Amino acid sequence: ASLRPLDAIHSVMSVDKVEALMDETAEAIAVQQEIDGLLSGEDIAVDEGELEAELAAMEADLMGTAATATPQLPVMPAVPTQKPVVAHTEPALAVDPERVAVAS
């Protein structure tokens, strides 16, 4: 009677499944330890030049341009160096609406 629960467990899980689960768990623990080491700054050897070049290449890829290409600026007009001259004109003469000639 006491073997029934054990038999039920064995029907669901085999020794092979348990070993596979233990292997997966060990791999997950190793990956987590590697991530922990990287986050804590252990064993990081970074070449700043390579890192900058990789970043520039990624940015160029996103922008759709070559890494060394510089953007072309639009040609702008020259800035005036003198104040503008305003022409003085005589105001228009006021026309009386009653004195306007009408064609007949």
Side-chain angles (χ1 to χ4, degrees), residues 66-87:
T68 58
T70 56
Q72 293 293 327
L73 298 176
V75 177
M76 302 296 288
V79 177
T81 57
Q82 299 175 350
K83 290 186 177 184
V85 177
V86 178

Side-chain angles (χ1 to χ4, degrees), residues 12-31:
V12 176
M13 294 289 277
S14 68
V15 174
D16 293 335
K17 288 183 180 179
V18 171
E19 287 177 354
L21 182 61
M22 290 178 69
D23 288 342
E24 289 175 11
T25 303
E27 288 176 19
I29 290 171
V31 169

Side-chain angles (χ1 to χ4, degrees), residues 5-71:
L6 189 57
D7 289 337
I9 292 172
H10 283 288
S11 69
V12 176
M13 294 289 277
S14 68
V15 174
D16 293 335
K17 288 183 180 179
V18 171
E19 287 177 354
L21 182 61
M22 290 178 69
D23 288 342
E24 289 175 11
T25 303
E27 288 176 19
I29 290 171
V31 169
Q32 185 61 47
Q33 288 174 344
E34 183 179 348
I35 291 171
D36 290 343
L38 290 173
L39 290 176
S40 67
E42 297 173 6
D43 300 326
I44 296 179
V46 177
D47 181 5
E48 291 292 326
E50 286 181 19
L51 189 61
E52 290 292 330
E54 185 177 351
L55 177 62
M58 289 170 60
E59 288 175 341
D61 188 41
L62 287 174
M63 300 301 288
T65 60
T68 58
T70 56

